[in-house]
Amino acid sequence: MGFVERLERASAALGEGALGEGTPAGGELGEGPPDEGTPAGGTPADGTLAEGDSEVGDAAGVGARGRGRETLAAAWVGQMLAAELPELLAGIAHDRSSGAFARWGLSTVVDENLREPVIGRALFEFLHEYAGVAATWPIGNAGVLHVYGYLLSAVSTRYGLKRERWLGAELTTALGMPEGAFLDALTSAGSGAGAGAGSGTGAGAPAGGAADSGTVAGAGAGGAADSGTVAGGAADSDAGLGAGGSAGLAGCVADVVMSTLESAVVTVDEFAGEEREEVFRAAYLSATPAAGGASGSEAASGDVVAGGTVGNGAARGDAAGSGAVGGGAVAYVALLGDAHRLVTVFPVAASAEEWLAAFTAEPPRLRYNAAAHELAPRAPLASRRIERAGSLPPRSG
């Protein structure tokens, strides 16, 4: 059975029954999560691993540390993923050891359109612990949630399943990448992990000395990995995108998006205000110039607009080229000083001008399920600035 088929099988097993209560639905994969006593595989409820219980590697122990129904359910999630998707666990381990999750911001697991979680609490807890990132439901690391959580989400939105951005061709095309590049990154992480990924004894187990589990990636803490650099060297936009690559998918996505930001067709910066330094940047990216709409010489640039009122006709789409057929991607990034923390990236069918008109129809606020320190999802922001291609100032990282 191929990776995509196994991914769909695992997602269905997690199911919508996992939402809220932290207990995945049962199904074909085993007998579902235990309600009490000892999880399948022999992990006692007190979180200790009996000698010889290495069949599913460290993934079985993650989530079993502690007591209660949620930890038992998380342990079941780990066992199931180790058995079904060792490549996915290997990718998380690569991202953890490279510091990739520190390059992502904060997000809520509650979708702002559906107003419900896109994954259950058991999966939320397991993924964050396995990634070595502290999180408190429903706010977590955007790389953990938007990459690995979305891959495993069974919740359908009005745009379809969230995993399709990583499996389909729309996003890679918009970013100028080969079709299937993200899927290759997922599967090569498992094949590049050696015997550990397939044996079950080390299925993507986090390496010792990896990211501190007490650090919340994206919180802007001092000492966090620079947004343009992974541990051990400079970022490479092609890192991990071929067979044998050493980066997980979260690191690959961060590399590609961060290297593309300066060539964005349209950028909207929204400022937190009230003596806060955060800036939240939405950028329309396209490898196809026709999808972008206006050029830097044809549209206003650097407009600072307070209270959500867009000046110079930007929202009306009356710059040259605004009627072009769409085919781009939108990236959302949290900026604090020189630190860039990616929140999400997704494909859009709209042209740059169409997307801009819809985006600026609302006053400035946090978008796309983003959260920040002392700023809840959808929190209002103070002002915005719109810039077009050719007028974007260079930024480090």
Side-chain angles (χ1 to χ4, degrees), residues 43-215:
T43 304
D46 64 3
T48 61
L49 286 173
E51 184 177 356
D53 284 344
S54 59
E55 183 178 355
V56 292
D58 284 357
V62 173
R65 303 174 189 125
R67 299 177 184 273
R69 181 182 177 92
E70 288 177 5
T71 58
L72 292 176
W76 178 84
V77 169
Q79 293 168 350
M80 186 269 287
L81 292 180
E84 288 290 310
L85 296 168
E87 305 98 323
L88 186 140
L89 293 183
I92 297 174
H94 283 310
D95 282 327
R96 172 175 174 152
S97 62
S98 71
F101 293 117
R103 302 171 63 194
W104 289 76
L106 297 176
S107 174
T108 177
V109 71
V110 179
D111 182 81
E112 69 174 44
N113 294 315
L114 297 177
R115 304 297 177 93
E116 67 178 48
V118 295
I119 61 173
R121 186 159 185 173
L123 181 57
F124 176 97
E125 301 290 354
F126 170 81
L127 290 176
H128 282 90
E129 189 168 351
Y130 202 75
V133 180
T136 302
W137 176 274
I139 304 299
N141 179 271
V144 171
L145 294 176
H146 288 241
V147 177
Y148 297 105
Y150 282 7
L151 280 166
L152 292 164
S153 175
V155 176
S156 182
T157 73
R158 61 182 178 180
Y159 306 106
L161 292 170
K162 287 180 175 289
R163 75 172 71 108
E164 290 305 320
R165 71 186 64 182
W166 308 125
L167 304 181
E170 290 84 357
L171 183 56
T172 52
T173 299
L175 296 175
M177 302 169 64
E179 182 177 345
F182 289 141
L183 181 59
D184 289 344
L186 274 168
T187 55
S188 67
S191 63
S199 66
T201 58
D212 182 356
S213 62
T215 301

